[in-house]
Amino acid sequence: AKRTGKGQVRSFRPALEDEQKERALLTARLRDAVAREEIVPFYQPLRELRGGRLVGLEVLARWQHPQRGTLPPSEFITQAEESGVVTPMFRSLLCQVCRDAVHWPTDLRFAFNLSPQQLQDPTMAQEILLLAQEGGMDPRRLEIEVTETGIVRDVGTARRNLAELKAAGVTLALDDFGTGYASIAMLKALRVDRLKIDRSFIASMRSTPEDTRYVAAIIALATTLGLGTTAEGLEDEAAIHAVGQMGADLGQGYAYGRPSPAVTVVDWLSPHLLL
Ligand code: C2E
Ligand code: CA
Ligand code: CA
Ligand code: CA
């Protein structure tokens, strides 16, 4: 900054330019990180609410940064989406999951998060199916989680992609349900198989018991439409019990296990598989 004639401080506003440079740098670093497989899949258990059987794992990206340690998606997903790196990142994660899965039971399913950008890519579905085939992964073991915001932009392309995945046996889940713009018409048009109840609803159930009715309403909607329901953010036995009573079929949350690296997954498999 320098002094103007009137004695005020005038900034040179280098901020914008710096910010652009910083973003370009982060994009380049992210690209590198993907190429070096520093972006790795962490896994979080998806369990049957009745009985607790492990049926699947949600794949959650982590950046194993050589200097900064393990970074959560909040540190890099937005930039990956805005720069288009999210597509090679997804490919890399899918390939790593196929490799990890070789060591686990063949009925274990994998849930992947898809960015809105990916849904707008007309070749997305084909690409996923091809990678799965190359990795020896039956597409019927894949679940794709999309958010409501990911769909509203271009319903046509999103719908074609999802229809193609579904035709190959991939399960479609609507993530963070209840927090965005999903309509009944959208559920109908996209033929989703499952709703994931956003964890904010589960959290508010604990602080405000009346809020339980919102969770009950979502589960009732899903059940009426013949869809499965996954409750996320289950942090204690009480939450597991409550959503199970209301008719949700699957659960996910710290009570069942935190997102963890591949080596931890063996600890979650049923004891007879370890013998
Ligand atoms: P999400 O898809 O809603 O994933 C669930 C998030 O909730 C995860 O955060 C998980 O660690 C957290 N979580 C799970 N159980 C509990 C619980 O009991 N309590 C609390 N407080 N939190 C819980 P995470 O791993 O930080 O991921 C954040 C978001 O980043 C994800 O939200 C998803 O939208 C996005 N994301 C993660 N991996 C990928 C990816 O590979 N691709 C894309 N496009 N997005 C991803
Ligand atoms: Ca998700
Ligand atoms: Ca979610
Ligand atoms: Ca989310």
Side-chain angles (χ1 to χ4, degrees):
K2 83 176 185 194
R3 298 251 155 214
T4 63
K6 288 174 203 149
Q8 289 162 324
V9 176
R10 188 182 65 188
S11 137
F12 283 105
R13 308 206 57 235
L16 194 66
E17 213 178 296
D18 280 2
E19 210 179 284
Q20 280 169 346
K21 274 189 198 150
E22 213 166 285
R23 278 208 216 133
L25 194 64
L26 179 57
T27 301
R29 288 222 181 99
L30 262 176
R31 245 181 242 292
D32 262 15
V34 169
R36 293 188 195 133
E37 290 194 352
E38 283 174 18
I39 313 266
V40 301
F42 265 38
Y43 298 93
Q44 190 178 29
L46 289 158
R47 292 188 182 274
E48 275 174 357
L49 286 163
R50 270 153 307 240
R53 192 171 74 93
L54 181 76
V55 293
L57 300 165
E58 179 169 1
V59 176
L60 295 159
R62 293 292 183 271
W63 185 353
Q64 301 209 299
H65 195 285
Q67 281 89 41
R68 298 172 60 203
T70 303
L71 304 180
S74 55
E75 298 271 333
F76 60 89
I77 285 287
T78 305
Q79 182 61 22
E81 287 177 339
E82 285 172 1
S83 63
V85 176
V86 77
T87 296
M89 188 187 90
F90 181 91
R91 280 190 213 116
S92 168
L93 288 172
L94 179 53
C95 292
Q96 294 179 71
V97 169
C98 290
R99 271 187 265 143
D100 289 344
V102 168
H103 307 286
W104 302 330
T106 52
D107 58 352
L108 209 54
R109 310 160 52 78
F110 296 95
F112 286 86
N113 293 285
L114 219 59
S115 285
Q117 289 77 358
Q118 293 177 274
L119 276 173
Q120 306 309 327
D121 172 354
T123 61
M124 186 275 293
Q126 273 170 274
E127 212 184 315
I128 290 178
L129 294 173
L130 187 66
L131 286 172
Q133 192 185 24
E134 286 170 358
M137 174 71 70
D138 186 333
R140 287 170 299 188
R141 296 174 64 191
L142 299 180
E143 184 164 311
I144 292 293
E145 300 189 356
V146 297
T147 56
E148 302 164 355
T149 24
I151 296 159
V152 286
R153 273 210 249 151
D154 175 357
V155 182
T157 307
R159 179 164 43 194
R160 276 187 293 278
N161 270 321
L162 295 178
E164 202 173 326
L165 290 170
K166 198 177 159 79
V170 176
T171 301
L172 307 181
L174 201 49
D175 207 353
D176 304 343
F177 187 76
T179 61
Y181 308 96
S183 63
I184 307 279
M186 194 184 280
L187 295 180
K188 182 163 176 270
L190 298 172
R191 310 221 146 273
V192 300
D193 304 291
R194 169 167 295 284
L195 301 184
K196 288 194 85 171
I197 306 174
D198 191 68
R199 68 182 148 86
S200 59
F201 291 102
I202 307 296
S204 72
M205 228 172 33
R206 191 168 26 215
S207 49
T208 318
E210 304 94 82
D211 282 3
T212 302
R213 62 197 163 168
Y214 296 101
V215 176
I218 296 172
I219 297 170
L221 169 70
T223 306
T224 303
L225 298 175
L227 311 177
T229 337
T230 307
E232 45 172 51
L234 302 177
E235 295 189 354
D236 49 40
E237 281 297 326
I240 292 175
H241 183 74
V243 294
Q245 284 293 304
M246 287 185 262
D249 58 336
L250 299 184
Q252 178 181 1
Y254 295 166
Y256 285 138
R258 300 215 168 217
S260 309
V263 289
T264 306
V265 172
V266 70
D267 299 341
W268 295 328
L269 301 171
S270 2
H272 71 267
L273 290 164
L274 296 175
L275 294 179

